[in-house]
Amino acid sequence: MKYLVKTYNRIAEEYGKFNYNRYWTKELPMFKKFIKTMQGRKVIDIGCGAGRDAEEFVKNKFDYTGIDFSPAMLRVAKRRVPKAKFILMDFYKLKFPKESFEGFWASASLLHIPKKKLPKVLHSIWRLLKPHGVGFISVQKKKDLDQGIIVKDAFGGRIKKVKRFYAYYTKPEMKRVLEGSGFKVVNYTTKYETGRDLTWLCFFVRKK
């Protein structure tokens, strides 16, 4: 999916501006509550993008590492949150020792993985977590399309023909994948964005 890296390199600056104030106002506090049950606060942000959520984690004294496959997105992230640790890394190849983190945060990133490949990626994430580690995953709710490449103008038409792959899920479908990959769903919320007419399915999980 090299084209996806090119896409995010191309849109990085606009993406950073567009998403700057789109915080997970309900989900971040809930994640912090779950991770308080762990002894440490090491968190990996998988698909950290332009560093929007990194600001919140650093502000709340987490031992934060953000990874992304787009060099341009990471440049924006480093400029925005200079105190955070960012690494150029593909989530198909997570290069960390086993049980490195108490928690993971995967906001709107795993939806770019084809469904047949998601269990393998989830198992790699499972491997990174310490026993009973916690995580957050958000994906878009399925309407008509199951998965596929979408090409459309973005950011109010300022960038033309943005090409991205998306996989869409129902709640039962995603829950089955998560539980089959070694996670227990401990909480679930939804978030509706009126401007884009889409619903986010938000899963809080714990390593079995």
Side-chain angles (χ1 to χ4, degrees):
M1 305 227 305
K2 291 181 180 179
Y3 77 88
L4 200 55
V5 178
K6 291 180 180 179
T7 291
Y8 276 104
N9 283 341
R10 182 163 74 97
I11 69 174
E13 292 292 339
E14 284 292 337
Y15 184 93
K17 295 173 188 174
F18 180 74
N19 282 277
Y20 189 79
N21 292 315
R22 304 169 79 85
Y23 282 115
W24 298 91
T25 51
K26 180 171 61 173
E27 289 74 24
L28 269 166
M30 195 175 294
F31 178 79
K32 286 186 279 187
K33 180 179 121 180
F34 283 123
I35 206 167
K36 279 182 181 178
T37 63
M38 305 294 294
Q39 289 186 344
R41 292 169 66 83
K42 288 190 72 174
V43 171
I44 180 170
D45 186 353
I46 298 170
C48 64
R52 178 200 62 199
D53 299 333
E55 281 186 322
E56 197 70 10
F57 282 112
V58 170
K59 185 172 72 176
N60 284 273
K61 310 298 183 185
F62 281 88
D63 185 352
Y64 170 91
T65 300
I67 67 164
D68 204 275
F69 61 8
S70 164
M73 293 287 269
L74 289 183
R75 283 195 293 272
V76 176
K78 289 174 182 177
R79 189 168 70 234
R80 174 181 287 171
V81 197
K83 292 183 179 180
K85 180 181 180 181
F86 295 109
I87 300 174
L88 182 66
M89 189 179 295
D90 189 329
F91 44 44
Y92 288 109
K93 300 173 183 176
L94 296 173
K95 299 176 182 177
F96 295 97
K98 183 180 179 182
E99 299 181 1
S100 294
F101 300 94
E102 279 80 30
F104 76 90
W105 180 264
S107 167
S109 57
L110 302 185
L111 48 71
H112 291 311
I113 298 173
K115 291 187 175 184
K116 66 180 181 181
K117 295 183 179 181
L118 183 59
K120 185 177 180 179
V121 173
L122 286 172
H123 181 73
S124 296
I125 296 171
W126 181 93
R127 180 182 171 277
L128 295 185
L129 284 188
K130 293 181 180 179
H132 310 296
V134 299
F136 169 79
I137 295 169
S138 62
V139 294
Q140 292 181 15
K141 184 178 180 180
K142 185 192 298 184
K143 291 183 179 178
D144 302 315
L145 181 66
D146 184 61
Q147 60 180 335
I149 293 173
I150 295 177
V151 181
K152 63 180 181 179
D153 298 344
F155 315 119
R158 291 189 296 278
I159 300 183
K160 305 297 183 182
K161 296 182 179 180
V162 177
K163 178 182 177 182
R164 286 181 281 188
F165 174 90
Y166 287 95
Y168 300 94
Y169 292 89
T170 63
K171 178 185 175 181
E173 180 185 17
M174 191 63 184
K175 186 179 179 185
R176 282 195 302 272
V177 177
L178 290 167
E179 291 179 343
S181 301
F183 294 103
K184 178 183 178 182
V185 176
V186 294
N187 209 309
Y188 166 80
T189 67
T190 61
K191 180 184 178 76
Y192 180 70
E193 287 196 42
T194 53
R196 295 198 287 172
D197 188 28
L198 62 86
T199 300
W200 293 96
L201 310 181
C202 305
F203 296 85
F204 299 84
V205 299
R206 191 177 293 278
K207 182 177 181 177
K208 291 181 183 177

